[in-house]
Amino acid sequence: MHSRRRIVAAAAAVLLAPMIAVPVVGSAASAKPLGSSIAVDWQRTANRTIYTEAGSAPPLGALYLAFTSLAVHDAATKAQRHGMHAAAAAVATAAHDVLVEYFPASGAALDTDLANSLARVRDGAKQDAGVAIGAAAADRMIASRVDDGRFDPAYVYSKPPAPGVWQPALGGAMALPWLGYVDPVVHIRPVFLDGPDPITSAAYARDYDEVRAVGEVGSTTRTSDQTAIAQFFANNPMVMYRTAVCDLLAAEPLGLLPTTRLFARIDAAVVTSFIASWRLKYEIGYWRPFQAIAGADTDDNSATTPQDNWVPLVTNPAYADYTSGHANATSPFAQVLRRTLGDDTGLVLRAGPITRSYATLTALEHDALNARIWGGLHFRDAMDDGYYLGHTTADRVMAAVH
């Protein structure tokens, strides 16, 4: 267990060190609200810890982002009556303690981050109160997730081969098969979906023909811009979206509670969508386009034409088609942000040196949805139903998380 007393002492050292710049009254740094600034900083830290340092898969990382953001919002809500300095200390401590619990290898970096945050809190009594509140919020979250079903070995995907059934690569396995059965982070009414199109249906044949033509690595139907979009959105969307929102809120700050509430709602909606989707992937196990195209002569659908040696533009992950995991990352995020700040919220997404700017969330969703078809990863039905799942889940989470 990391010593909070040691970290607070380190914060004091940061304040006293002559070579370290700290915010002063009248500086550009002090123009940004203390609490919301620290809250955004810790969202960047969570991104770094979970995805850059730990290398978590997007759906797995979504769980830990939700643990962190919900604990932070709990801390901010309880600390606000003690003033902004206490609330800022509470936010930093809650985020630090949750992340250290699940990512102990990042402990030293997180300790430094916390010391830097606490160094910005000038009132010692308020800092102490905030640290205690943040630590308690983290402890509540951590205790609530004991035996929550993460990494449960009982779930092993083993559907027998058949037309329409997804199969892992030879010698491989389904990624995160337990995710659909993990305890929820927030309790909402489940979203009902009608399931994937039967492989004998006309709707399936339409989706089949679309992805077969546009999703192949050597497609002559897909435009160069569509290719670029498909490849861009093959990067981790969780990292891109969170970074973009942090950049937005750094430039145009919200208050502390609106900031912590926004991230808590986004993360709760995203991970709730992932949980629902992974249960469908595990229980239905609907095949992906590359398997469908290879096995079209077995689907009993006269409207589908087999194509030998069909290879998708983007490498497929180790789980089934329905519903789209990428849709679970994108649509709840966009819906919470849309309902909070408006559809005309502009975001700049970055993947390495490449950037794409979106003036509206609808435009971002359009590209993100179609990217998975242009990349040969999904049938359109898996995308459309995934977006319905994400939007509806977001609406219900927003009503539950205050």
Side-chain angles (χ1 to χ4, degrees), residues 229-235 240-241 326 349 358 364 367-368 371-372:
I229 291 169
Q231 292 171 330
F232 181 81
F233 280 99
N235 291 285
M240 292 197 299
Y241 299 158
H326 201 280
L349 305 185
Y358 290 96
L364 187 158
D367 279 7
R372 308 309 275 180

Side-chain angles (χ1 to χ4, degrees), residues 33-36 38 79-90 121 126 255-257:
L34 174 65
S36 57
I38 285 179
Q80 63 173 330
R81 67 186 179 88
H82 296 279
M84 182 54 64
H85 286 270
V121 179
K126 296 292 188 182
L256 174 61
L257 279 181

